[in-house]
Amino acid sequence: MNSYRLVVQTIQNGKIVGTANTTVSANSVMEAKQKFLATHIPTSTKKYKIVACAKQ
């Protein structure tokens, strides 16, 4: 299992309202993205966009 750092933008009502860095433990980039999105469910007004993902 490796650590992956994700840079994520929070989009609310069509506007970028924040950018955050987070670290996820996973076996691949795709799994890291899936783990993040599984715990951050988008709503009708708030969505998440992963702008970067790299192995640490």
Side-chain angles (χ1 to χ4, degrees):
M1 190 95 37
N2 298 307
S3 291
Y4 289 87
R5 175 155 295 215
L6 283 75
V7 178
V8 181
Q9 289 179 335
T10 303
I11 301 167
Q12 193 163 4
N13 296 322
K15 296 182 181 179
I16 297 169
V17 294
T19 303
N21 293 314
T22 187
T23 303
V24 177
S25 294
N27 292 315
S28 67
V29 171
M30 182 63 79
E31 184 182 350
K33 290 179 180 182
Q34 288 173 343
K35 280 188 172 186
F36 175 82
L37 292 173
T39 58
H40 294 78
I41 307 299
T43 64
S44 60
T45 58
K46 186 184 276 190
K47 301 188 183 340
Y48 301 95
K49 180 180 177 184
I50 299 171
V51 293
C53 183
K55 187 175 175 181
Q56 285 194 289

